[in-house]
Amino acid sequence: MKQKIGAVLGIVAYVTLLIGVNFYHKAYPVSNMNDEIHLKLVEYMETHRFEAVEPRIDSVWDFVPGLVGAEVDYELSYNKMLLNGEFDPSLIVCKKIDYKEDPEQFRERPIYKGNEEGQYVSLLINVAWGEEELDKMMTILDRLGVRATFFFEGRYAENHKNQVLKLYNDGHLIGNHSYSHPSRWGGFTYDQYVEEIKKTNDVLSSIINEPIIYFAPPAGEFNDRTLKAAYDQGMYSIMWTADTIDWMGGSADVLISRVMKKLEPGALILMHPKPETVIALEPMINQLKEKGYQFKTVDEIVQGTRPECS
């Protein structure tokens, strides 16, 4: 009798084990399951899921872009670690969680900053002069592995096509900073704004063979006509959060201090190709990295992507 009961219990235990293993593999569909990696990975997943944040109109900042969420891709992460033989956070693969709202519906509104829920900043470099300084900035950015957004005046781009193309090929984003940077910008008609924007788009697109989507108005000056002109050309209007005010002068330390006083998650940091800006660029980037910030281009800010999940 005891032998029969023992046999029955053994069968029950075996069936239970089979069901458990089957469930285990269905929940986490990978081959050659390693319990230690699995348990550590599941524990990691519980504290590394970030919900998507919707884009919104803010009472202070106007249009604030959204930010996609992120979660760990268990199967891809586990299989990479299995090949490595142990749990390793550097091998984590994440996948995005999309937000619901389409940022296109807010395109006619100016953008001063990215979403504050992510530790990201973006460097904006407005270019209407400074050929030698721009070359030096390109070298620094390349060495530090940082991509920025360069807004070009159309006249400058026409005469420096190789610079524009090199920046584009190096992974930087190219934007529009009007054609002639006119001093009377605020008094232009709608048609004059369209002419300045479209002419520059044509110049830049002919160089990089891509549409130009982002517009930085001269001196940050805009009105309803400016915004509509950019919108009608399929563009977003970009402002800034923190300004080096390098055009006014100041040492490299002063430029960095101006930025740090205005720094916050999602900050758009404005500068120009000036000698002191070149000196300030590397220490500024290093300080931002030390504070835990990652760098995005403006399109990544507006779309709310997480570069680590792309």
Side-chain angles (χ1 to χ4, degrees), residues 168-253:
Y168 173 76
N169 288 336
D170 286 349
H172 301 288
L173 183 67
I174 304 301
N176 182 324
H177 193 45
S178 82
Y179 182 78
S180 60
H181 206 293
S183 58
R184 300 178 296 103
W185 179 258
F188 272 24
T189 65
Y190 167 83
D191 288 338
Q192 287 175 312
Y193 287 133
V194 168
E195 181 181 3
E196 282 272 332
I197 293 170
K198 187 176 185 306
K199 193 170 182 179
T200 303
N201 281 350
D202 290 343
V203 170
L204 295 173
S205 293
S206 71
I207 298 170
I208 68 172
N209 198 31
E210 290 281 350
I212 308 301
I213 308 297
Y214 300 96
F215 171 63
E221 188 176 5
F222 68 87
N223 52 46
D224 289 345
R225 298 186 305 280
T226 320
L227 294 175
K228 180 168 172 48
Y231 176 84
D232 288 347
Q233 297 303 307
M235 307 185 78
Y236 288 91
S237 295
I238 307 299
M239 306 302 291
W240 61 83
T241 321
D243 190 356
T244 59
I245 321 178
D246 50 7
W247 55 270
M248 187 182 290
S251 68
D253 287 341

Coordinates of all heavy atoms in Angstrom, one line a residue, residues 168-253:
Y168 N 26.5 66.4 -40.7 CA 25.4 65.5 -40.9 C 25.9 64.0 -41.0 O 25.4 63.1 -40.3 CB 24.7 65.8 -42.3 CG 23.7 64.8 -42.7 CD1 22.4 64.8 -42.1 CD2 24.0 63.9 -43.7 CE1 21.5 63.8 -42.5 CE2 23.0 63.0 -44.1 CZ 21.8 62.9 -43.5 OH 20.9 62.0 -43.9
N169 N 27.0 63.8 -41.7 CA 27.6 62.5 -41.8 C 28.1 62.0 -40.4 O 28.2 60.8 -40.2 CB 28.7 62.4 -42.8 CG 28.2 62.5 -44.2 OD1 27.0 62.2 -44.5 ND2 29.0 63.0 -45.1
D170 N 28.5 62.9 -39.5 CA 29.0 62.5 -38.2 C 27.8 62.2 -37.2 O 28.1 61.9 -36.1 CB 29.8 63.6 -37.6 CG 31.2 63.7 -38.3 OD1 31.6 62.7 -39.0 OD2 32.0 64.6 -38.0
G171 N 26.6 62.4 -37.7 CA 25.4 62.0 -36.9 C 24.8 63.2 -36.2 O 23.8 63.0 -35.4
H172 N 25.2 64.4 -36.4 CA 24.5 65.6 -35.9 C 23.3 65.9 -36.6 O 23.1 65.5 -37.8 CB 25.5 66.7 -35.8 CG 26.8 66.5 -35.1 ND1 26.8 66.4 -33.7 CD2 28.0 66.3 -35.5 CE1 28.1 66.2 -33.3 NE2 28.8 66.1 -34.4
L173 N 22.4 66.6 -36.0 CA 21.1 67.1 -36.6 C 21.3 68.4 -37.2 O 21.9 69.3 -36.6 CB 20.0 67.1 -35.6 CG 18.6 67.4 -36.2 CD1 18.1 66.3 -37.1 CD2 17.6 67.6 -35.0
I174 N 20.8 68.6 -38.4 CA 20.9 69.9 -39.1 C 19.5 70.6 -39.1 O 18.5 70.1 -39.5 CB 21.4 69.7 -40.6 CG1 22.7 68.9 -40.6 CG2 21.5 71.1 -41.3 CD1 23.8 69.6 -39.9
G175 N 19.6 71.9 -38.6 CA 18.3 72.7 -38.6 C 18.5 74.0 -39.3 O 19.6 74.4 -39.8
N176 N 17.4 74.8 -39.3 CA 17.3 76.0 -40.0 C 17.3 77.2 -39.1 O 16.6 77.3 -38.0 CB 15.9 76.0 -40.8 CG 15.6 77.2 -41.6 OD1 16.0 78.3 -41.3 ND2 14.9 77.0 -42.7
H177 N 18.1 78.2 -39.4 CA 18.3 79.4 -38.5 C 18.0 80.7 -39.4 O 18.6 81.7 -39.2 CB 19.7 79.5 -37.9 CG 19.8 80.5 -36.8 ND1 18.9 80.6 -35.8 CD2 20.8 81.4 -36.5 CE1 19.3 81.6 -35.0 NE2 20.5 82.0 -35.4
S178 N 17.1 80.6 -40.3 CA 16.7 81.6 -41.3 C 17.8 81.7 -42.4 O 18.9 81.1 -42.3 CB 16.5 83.0 -40.6 OG 17.8 83.7 -40.4
Y179 N 17.5 82.5 -43.4 CA 18.5 82.6 -44.5 C 19.5 83.7 -44.2 O 20.7 83.6 -44.4 CB 17.8 82.9 -45.8 CG 18.8 83.0 -47.0 CD1 19.3 81.8 -47.5 CD2 19.2 84.2 -47.5 CE1 20.3 81.8 -48.5 CE2 20.1 84.2 -48.5 CZ 20.7 83.1 -49.0 OH 21.6 83.1 -50.0
S180 N 19.1 84.9 -43.7 CA 20.0 86.0 -43.6 C 20.1 86.6 -42.2 O 20.7 87.6 -42.0 CB 19.5 87.2 -44.6 OG 18.2 87.6 -44.3
H181 N 19.4 86.0 -41.2 CA 19.5 86.4 -39.8 C 19.2 87.9 -39.8 O 20.0 88.7 -39.2 CB 20.8 86.1 -39.2 CG 20.8 86.0 -37.7 ND1 20.5 87.0 -36.9 CD2 21.0 84.9 -36.9 CE1 20.5 86.6 -35.6 NE2 20.8 85.3 -35.6
P182 N 18.1 88.4 -40.3 CA 17.8 89.8 -40.4 C 17.6 90.5 -39.1 O 17.0 89.9 -38.2 CB 16.6 89.9 -41.3 CG 15.9 88.6 -41.1 CD 17.0 87.6 -40.9
S183 N 18.1 91.7 -38.9 CA 17.9 92.5 -37.7 C 16.4 92.9 -37.5 O 16.0 93.2 -36.4 CB 18.8 93.7 -37.7 OG 18.5 94.5 -38.8
R184 N 15.7 93.0 -38.6 CA 14.3 93.4 -38.5 C 13.3 92.2 -38.5 O 12.1 92.3 -38.9 CB 13.9 94.3 -39.8 CG 14.7 95.6 -39.9 CD 14.4 96.3 -41.1 NE 14.7 95.6 -42.4 CZ 13.8 95.0 -43.1 NH1 12.5 95.0 -42.8 NH2 14.1 94.3 -44.2
W185 N 13.8 91.1 -38.0 CA 13.1 89.8 -38.1 C 11.7 90.0 -37.5 O 10.7 89.5 -38.0 CB 13.9 88.8 -37.3 CG 13.2 87.4 -37.3 CD1 12.5 86.9 -36.2 CD2 13.1 86.5 -38.3 NE1 12.0 85.6 -36.5 CE2 12.4 85.4 -37.8 CE3 13.6 86.4 -39.6 CZ2 12.1 84.2 -38.6 CZ3 13.3 85.3 -40.4 CH2 12.6 84.2 -39.9
G186 N 11.5 90.6 -36.4 CA 10.2 90.7 -35.7 C 9.2 91.5 -36.5 O 8.0 91.2 -36.2
G187 N 9.6 92.3 -37.4 CA 8.6 93.1 -38.2 C 8.2 92.5 -39.5 O 7.5 93.1 -40.3
F188 N 8.7 91.3 -39.8 CA 8.5 90.6 -41.1 C 7.0 90.3 -41.3 O 6.3 90.0 -40.3 CB 9.3 89.4 -41.3 CG 10.7 89.7 -41.9 CD1 11.3 90.9 -41.8 CD2 11.4 88.7 -42.5 CE1 12.5 91.1 -42.3 CE2 12.6 88.9 -43.1 CZ 13.2 90.1 -43.0
T189 N 6.6 90.2 -42.5 CA 5.2 89.7 -42.8 C 5.3 88.1 -42.9 O 6.4 87.5 -42.9 CB 4.8 90.1 -44.2 OG1 5.6 89.6 -45.2 CG2 4.8 91.7 -44.3
Y190 N 4.2 87.5 -42.9 CA 4.1 86.0 -43.0 C 4.9 85.6 -44.2 O 5.7 84.6 -44.2 CB 2.7 85.6 -43.1 CG 2.5 84.1 -43.5 CD1 2.6 83.1 -42.5 CD2 2.2 83.8 -44.8 CE1 2.5 81.8 -42.9 CE2 2.1 82.5 -45.2 CZ 2.2 81.5 -44.3 OH 2.1 80.2 -44.7
D191 N 4.7 86.2 -45.4 CA 5.3 85.8 -46.6 C 6.8 85.9 -46.5 O 7.6 85.1 -47.1 CB 4.8 86.6 -47.8 CG 3.3 86.2 -48.2 OD1 2.9 85.1 -47.8 OD2 2.7 87.0 -48.8
Q192 N 7.3 87.0 -45.9 CA 8.7 87.2 -45.7 C 9.3 86.0 -44.8 O 10.4 85.6 -45.1 CB 9.0 88.5 -45.1 CG 8.8 89.7 -46.1 CD 9.0 91.0 -45.4 OE1 8.5 91.3 -44.3 NE2 9.8 91.9 -46.0
Y193 N 8.6 85.7 -43.8 CA 9.1 84.5 -42.9 C 9.2 83.3 -43.8 O 10.1 82.5 -43.7 CB 8.1 84.3 -41.8 CG 8.2 85.4 -40.7 CD1 7.1 86.0 -40.1 CD2 9.5 85.8 -40.2 CE1 7.2 86.9 -39.1 CE2 9.6 86.8 -39.2 CZ 8.4 87.3 -38.7 OH 8.5 88.3 -37.7
V194 N 8.1 83.0 -44.5 CA 8.1 81.8 -45.4 C 9.3 81.8 -46.3 O 10.0 80.8 -46.5 CB 6.8 81.7 -46.2 CG1 6.9 80.6 -47.2 CG2 5.6 81.4 -45.2
E195 N 9.6 83.0 -46.9 CA 10.7 83.0 -47.9 C 12.0 82.7 -47.2 O 12.8 82.0 -47.7 CB 10.7 84.4 -48.5 CG 11.8 84.6 -49.5 CD 11.9 86.0 -50.1 OE1 11.1 86.9 -49.7 OE2 12.8 86.3 -51.0
E196 N 12.3 83.3 -46.0 CA 13.5 83.1 -45.3 C 13.6 81.6 -44.9 O 14.7 81.0 -45.0 CB 13.6 83.9 -44.0 CG 13.9 85.4 -44.3 CD 15.4 85.6 -44.3 OE1 16.2 84.9 -43.6 OE2 15.9 86.6 -44.9
I197 N 12.6 81.0 -44.4 CA 12.6 79.6 -44.0 C 12.8 78.7 -45.1 O 13.6 77.8 -45.1 CB 11.3 79.3 -43.2 CG1 11.3 80.1 -41.9 CG2 11.2 77.8 -42.9 CD1 10.0 80.1 -41.1
K198 N 11.9 78.9 -46.2 CA 12.0 78.0 -47.3 C 13.3 78.0 -48.0 O 13.8 77.0 -48.5 CB 10.8 78.3 -48.3 CG 10.7 77.2 -49.4 CD 9.5 77.6 -50.3 CE 9.3 76.5 -51.3 NZ 10.5 76.2 -52.1
K199 N 13.8 79.2 -48.2 CA 15.1 79.4 -48.9 C 16.2 78.6 -48.2 O 17.0 77.9 -48.8 CB 15.5 80.8 -49.1 CG 16.6 81.1 -50.0 CD 16.7 82.6 -50.3 CE 17.8 82.9 -51.3 NZ 17.9 84.4 -51.6
T200 N 16.2 78.7 -46.9 CA 17.3 78.0 -46.1 C 17.0 76.5 -46.2 O 18.0 75.7 -46.3 CB 17.3 78.5 -44.7 OG1 17.5 79.9 -44.7 CG2 18.4 77.8 -43.9
N201 N 15.8 76.0 -46.1 CA 15.5 74.6 -46.2 C 16.0 74.1 -47.5 O 16.5 73.0 -47.6 CB 14.0 74.4 -46.1 CG 13.5 74.4 -44.6 OD1 14.3 74.4 -43.7 ND2 12.2 74.4 -44.5
D202 N 15.8 74.8 -48.6 CA 16.2 74.4 -49.9 C 17.7 74.2 -49.9 O 18.2 73.2 -50.5 CB 15.8 75.4 -51.0 CG 14.2 75.3 -51.2 OD1 13.6 74.4 -50.8 OD2 13.7 76.3 -51.8
V203 N 18.4 75.2 -49.4 CA 19.9 75.1 -49.3 C 20.4 73.9 -48.6 O 21.2 73.1 -49.0 CB 20.5 76.4 -48.7 CG1 22.0 76.2 -48.5 CG2 20.2 77.6 -49.6
L204 N 19.8 73.7 -47.4 CA 20.3 72.6 -46.5 C 19.9 71.2 -47.0 O 20.7 70.3 -47.0 CB 19.7 72.8 -45.1 CG 20.2 74.0 -44.3 CD1 19.5 74.2 -43.0 CD2 21.7 74.0 -44.0
S205 N 18.7 71.1 -47.6 CA 18.2 69.9 -48.1 C 19.1 69.5 -49.3 O 19.3 68.3 -49.5 CB 16.8 69.9 -48.5 OG 15.9 70.1 -47.4
S206 N 19.5 70.5 -50.1 CA 20.3 70.1 -51.3 C 21.7 69.6 -50.9 O 22.3 68.9 -51.6 CB 20.5 71.4 -52.2 OG 21.4 72.3 -51.5
I207 N 22.1 69.9 -49.6 CA 23.4 69.5 -49.2 C 23.3 68.1 -48.5 O 24.2 67.2 -48.8 CB 24.0 70.4 -48.1 CG1 24.2 71.8 -48.8 CG2 25.3 69.9 -47.5 CD1 24.6 72.9 -47.8
I208 N 22.3 67.8 -47.7 CA 22.3 66.6 -46.9 C 21.2 65.6 -47.5 O 21.1 64.5 -47.0 CB 22.0 66.8 -45.4 CG1 20.6 67.4 -45.2 CG2 23.0 67.8 -44.9 CD1 20.1 67.5 -43.8
N209 N 20.5 66.1 -48.5 CA 19.5 65.2 -49.1 C 18.4 64.7 -48.1 O 18.0 63.5 -48.2 CB 20.2 64.1 -49.9 CG 19.2 63.4 -50.9 OD1 18.4 64.1 -51.5 ND2 19.4 62.1 -51.1
E210 N 18.1 65.5 -47.2 CA 17.0 65.2 -46.2 C 16.2 66.4 -46.0 O 16.6 67.5 -46.1 CB 17.7 64.8 -44.9 CG 18.4 63.5 -44.9 CD 17.5 62.3 -44.8 OE1 16.3 62.5 -44.5 OE2 18.0 61.1 -44.9
P211 N 14.9 66.2 -45.6 CA 14.1 67.4 -45.3 C 14.5 68.0 -44.0 O 15.1 67.3 -43.1 CB 12.6 66.8 -45.1 CG 12.9 65.3 -44.8 CD 14.1 64.9 -45.5
I212 N 14.3 69.3 -43.8 CA 14.7 70.0 -42.6 C 13.4 70.3 -41.8 O 12.5 70.9 -42.3 CB 15.4 71.4 -43.0 CG1 16.5 71.1 -43.9 CG2 15.9 72.1 -41.7 CD1 17.6 70.2 -43.5
I213 N 13.4 69.8 -40.6 CA 12.2 69.8 -39.8 C 12.2 70.8 -38.6 O 11.2 71.1 -38.1 CB 12.0 68.3 -39.2 CG1 12.0 67.3 -40.3 CG2 10.7 68.2 -38.4 CD1 11.0 67.5 -41.3
Y214 N 13.4 71.2 -38.2 CA 13.5 72.1 -37.0 C 14.1 73.4 -37.3 O 15.0 73.6 -38.0 CB 14.4 71.3 -36.0 CG 13.8 70.0 -35.6 CD1 14.2 68.8 -36.3 CD2 12.7 69.9 -34.7 CE1 13.6 67.6 -36.0 CE2 12.1 68.7 -34.5 CZ 12.6 67.5 -35.1 OH 12.0 66.3 -34.8
F215 N 13.4 74.4 -36.7 CA 13.7 75.8 -37.0 C 14.0 76.6 -35.7 O 13.2 76.5 -34.8 CB 12.5 76.5 -37.8 CG 12.6 77.9 -37.9 CD1 13.6 78.5 -38.7 CD2 11.6 78.8 -37.3 CE1 13.6 79.9 -38.9 CE2 11.7 80.2 -37.5 CZ 12.7 80.7 -38.3
A216 N 15.1 77.3 -35.7 CA 15.4 78.2 -34.6 C 15.4 79.6 -35.1 O 16.2 80.1 -35.8 CB 16.8 77.8 -34.0
P217 N 14.4 80.4 -34.7 CA 14.3 81.8 -35.2 C 15.4 82.7 -34.7 O 16.0 82.5 -33.6 CB 12.9 82.3 -34.6 CG 12.6 81.4 -33.5 CD 13.3 80.1 -33.8
P218 N 15.9 83.6 -35.5 CA 17.0 84.5 -35.1 C 16.7 85.2 -33.8 O 15.6 85.7 -33.6 CB 17.1 85.5 -36.3 CG 16.5 84.8 -37.5 CD 15.4 83.9 -36.9
A219 N 17.7 85.2 -32.9 CA 17.6 85.8 -31.6 C 16.5 85.3 -30.8 O 16.1 85.9 -29.8 CB 17.5 87.3 -31.8
G220 N 15.9 84.1 -31.2 CA 14.8 83.6 -30.4 C 13.5 84.4 -30.5 O 12.6 84.2 -29.7
E221 N 13.4 85.3 -31.5 CA 12.3 86.2 -31.7 C 11.2 85.5 -32.5 O 11.5 85.1 -33.7 CB 12.8 87.5 -32.3 CG 11.7 88.6 -32.3 CD 12.2 89.9 -32.8 OE1 13.4 90.0 -33.2 OE2 11.4 90.9 -32.8
F222 N 10.0 85.5 -32.0 CA 8.9 84.9 -32.8 C 7.6 85.6 -32.5 O 7.5 86.2 -31.4 CB 8.8 83.4 -32.7 CG 8.4 83.0 -31.3 CD1 7.1 82.9 -31.0 CD2 9.3 82.7 -30.3 CE1 6.6 82.4 -29.7 CE2 9.0 82.3 -29.0 CZ 7.6 82.2 -28.7
N223 N 6.6 85.4 -33.4 CA 5.3 85.8 -33.1 C 4.4 84.8 -33.8 O 4.8 83.8 -34.3 CB 5.0 87.3 -33.6 CG 5.5 87.4 -35.1 OD1 5.2 86.6 -35.9 ND2 6.3 88.5 -35.4
D224 N 3.1 85.1 -33.8 CA 2.2 84.1 -34.4 C 2.5 83.9 -35.9 O 2.3 82.8 -36.4 CB 0.7 84.6 -34.3 CG 0.2 84.5 -32.8 OD1 0.9 83.8 -32.0 OD2 -0.8 85.2 -32.5
R225 N 2.9 84.9 -36.6 CA 3.2 84.8 -38.0 C 4.4 83.9 -38.2 O 4.5 83.1 -39.2 CB 3.5 86.2 -38.7 CG 2.3 87.1 -38.7 CD 2.6 88.4 -39.4 NE 3.8 89.1 -39.0 CZ 3.9 89.9 -38.0 NH1 2.8 90.1 -37.2 NH2 5.0 90.5 -37.7
T226 N 5.4 84.1 -37.4 CA 6.6 83.2 -37.4 C 6.3 81.8 -37.2 O 6.7 80.9 -38.0 CB 7.7 83.6 -36.3 OG1 7.7 85.0 -36.2 CG2 9.0 83.1 -36.7
L227 N 5.5 81.5 -36.2 CA 5.1 80.1 -35.8 C 4.3 79.5 -36.9 O 4.5 78.3 -37.3 CB 4.4 80.1 -34.5 CG 5.1 80.5 -33.3 CD1 4.2 80.5 -32.1 CD2 6.3 79.5 -33.0
K228 N 3.4 80.3 -37.5 CA 2.6 79.7 -38.6 C 3.4 79.4 -39.8 O 3.2 78.4 -40.5 CB 1.4 80.7 -38.9 CG 0.5 80.1 -40.1 CD -0.7 80.9 -40.2 CE -1.5 80.5 -41.4 NZ -1.7 79.0 -41.6
A229 N 4.3 80.3 -40.1 CA 5.2 80.1 -41.3 C 6.0 78.9 -41.2 O 6.1 78.1 -42.1 CB 6.1 81.3 -41.5
A230 N 6.6 78.6 -40.0 CA 7.3 77.4 -39.8 C 6.4 76.2 -39.8 O 6.8 75.2 -40.4 CB 8.1 77.5 -38.4
Y231 N 5.3 76.3 -39.2 CA 4.3 75.2 -39.2 C 3.9 74.8 -40.6 O 3.8 73.6 -41.0 CB 3.1 75.6 -38.3 CG 2.0 74.6 -38.4 CD1 2.0 73.5 -37.5 CD2 0.9 74.7 -39.2 CE1 1.0 72.5 -37.5 CE2 -0.1 73.8 -39.2 CZ -0.1 72.7 -38.4 OH -1.1 71.8 -38.4
D232 N 3.6 75.8 -41.4 CA 3.2 75.6 -42.8 C 4.3 74.9 -43.6 O 4.0 74.4 -44.7 CB 2.7 76.9 -43.4 CG 1.3 77.3 -42.8 OD1 0.7 76.5 -42.1 OD2 1.0 78.5 -43.1
Q233 N 5.5 75.1 -43.2 CA 6.6 74.4 -43.9 C 6.9 73.0 -43.3 O 7.9 72.4 -43.6 CB 7.9 75.3 -43.8 CG 7.8 76.6 -44.5 CD 7.4 76.5 -46.0 OE1 8.0 75.7 -46.7 NE2 6.3 77.1 -46.4
G234 N 6.1 72.6 -42.4 CA 6.2 71.3 -41.8 C 7.3 71.2 -40.7 O 7.9 70.2 -40.4
M235 N 7.5 72.4 -40.0 CA 8.6 72.5 -39.0 C 8.1 72.7 -37.6 O 7.0 73.2 -37.3 CB 9.5 73.6 -39.5 CG 10.0 73.5 -40.9 SD 11.2 74.7 -41.3 CE 12.6 74.0 -40.6
Y236 N 9.0 72.3 -36.7 CA 8.9 72.7 -35.3 C 9.8 73.9 -35.0 O 10.9 74.0 -35.5 CB 9.4 71.5 -34.4 CG 8.5 70.3 -34.3 CD1 8.7 69.3 -35.2 CD2 7.5 70.2 -33.4 CE1 7.9 68.1 -35.2 CE2 6.6 69.1 -33.3 CZ 6.9 68.0 -34.2 OH 6.1 66.9 -34.2
S237 N 9.3 74.8 -34.1 CA 10.1 76.0 -33.7 C 10.7 75.7 -32.4 O 10.1 75.4 -31.4 CB 9.2 77.2 -33.6 OG 8.6 77.5 -34.9
I238 N 12.1 75.8 -32.4 CA 12.9 75.5 -31.2 C 13.5 76.7 -30.5 O 14.1 77.5 -31.2 CB 14.0 74.5 -31.6 CG1 13.5 73.3 -32.4 CG2 14.8 74.1 -30.4 CD1 12.5 72.4 -31.7
M239 N 13.3 76.8 -29.2 CA 13.9 77.8 -28.4 C 14.9 77.2 -27.5 O 15.6 76.3 -28.0 CB 12.7 78.5 -27.6 CG 11.6 79.0 -28.5 SD 12.1 80.2 -29.7 CE 12.6 81.6 -28.7
W240 N 15.1 77.6 -26.3 CA 16.1 77.1 -25.4 C 15.7 77.2 -24.0 O 14.8 78.0 -23.6 CB 17.5 77.7 -25.6 CG 17.5 79.2 -25.3 CD1 17.6 79.8 -24.1 CD2 17.3 80.3 -26.3 NE1 17.5 81.2 -24.2 CE2 17.3 81.5 -25.6 CE3 17.1 80.3 -27.7 CZ2 17.2 82.7 -26.2 CZ3 16.9 81.6 -28.3 CH2 17.0 82.8 -27.5
T241 N 16.4 76.4 -23.1 CA 16.2 76.5 -21.7 C 17.3 77.2 -21.0 O 17.1 78.1 -20.1 CB 16.2 75.0 -21.1 OG1 15.5 74.1 -21.9 CG2 15.5 75.0 -19.7
A242 N 18.5 76.9 -21.4 CA 19.7 77.5 -20.8 C 20.6 78.1 -21.9 O 20.8 77.4 -22.9 CB 20.5 76.4 -20.0
D243 N 21.0 79.3 -21.7 CA 21.7 80.1 -22.8 C 23.1 80.4 -22.3 O 23.3 81.0 -21.2 CB 20.9 81.3 -23.1 CG 21.5 82.1 -24.3 OD1 22.5 81.6 -24.9 OD2 20.9 83.1 -24.7
T244 N 24.1 80.1 -23.0 CA 25.5 80.5 -22.7 C 25.7 82.0 -22.8 O 26.5 82.6 -22.1 CB 26.5 79.9 -23.6 OG1 26.3 80.2 -24.9 CG2 26.5 78.3 -23.5
I245 N 24.8 82.6 -23.6 CA 24.9 84.1 -23.9 C 26.3 84.4 -24.3 O 26.9 85.5 -24.0 CB 24.5 85.0 -22.7 CG1 23.3 84.4 -22.0 CG2 24.1 86.4 -23.2 CD1 22.8 85.2 -20.7
D246 N 26.9 83.5 -25.1 CA 28.3 83.6 -25.5 C 28.5 84.8 -26.4 O 29.6 85.4 -26.5 CB 28.9 82.3 -26.1 CG 28.0 81.7 -27.1 OD1 27.0 82.4 -27.5 OD2 28.2 80.6 -27.6
W247 N 27.5 85.2 -27.2 CA 27.6 86.3 -28.1 C 27.9 87.6 -27.3 O 28.4 88.6 -27.9 CB 26.3 86.5 -28.9 CG 25.1 86.6 -28.1 CD1 24.3 85.6 -27.6 CD2 24.5 87.8 -27.5 NE1 23.3 86.1 -26.9 CE2 23.4 87.4 -26.8 CE3 24.9 89.2 -27.6 CZ2 22.6 88.4 -26.1 CZ3 24.0 90.1 -27.0 CH2 22.9 89.7 -26.2
M248 N 27.6 87.7 -26.0 CA 27.8 88.8 -25.2 C 29.2 88.9 -24.6 O 29.6 89.9 -24.2 CB 26.7 88.9 -24.1 CG 26.7 90.2 -23.3 SD 25.5 90.1 -21.9 CE 24.0 90.2 -22.8
G249 N 29.9 87.8 -24.6 CA 31.2 87.7 -24.1 C 31.2 86.9 -22.8 O 30.2 86.4 -22.3
G250 N 32.4 86.9 -22.1 CA 32.5 86.2 -20.9 C 33.5 85.0 -21.0 O 33.7 84.5 -22.1
S251 N 34.2 84.7 -20.0 CA 35.1 83.6 -20.0 C 34.4 82.2 -20.1 O 33.2 82.1 -19.9 CB 36.0 83.6 -18.7 OG 35.2 83.3 -17.6
A252 N 35.2 81.2 -20.3 CA 34.7 79.9 -20.4 C 33.9 79.5 -19.1 O 32.8 78.9 -19.2 CB 35.8 78.8 -20.7
D253 N 34.5 79.8 -18.0 CA 33.9 79.5 -16.7 C 32.6 80.2 -16.6 O 31.6 79.7 -16.0 CB 34.8 79.9 -15.5 CG 36.0 79.0 -15.4 OD1 35.9 77.8 -15.9 OD2 37.0 79.4 -14.7

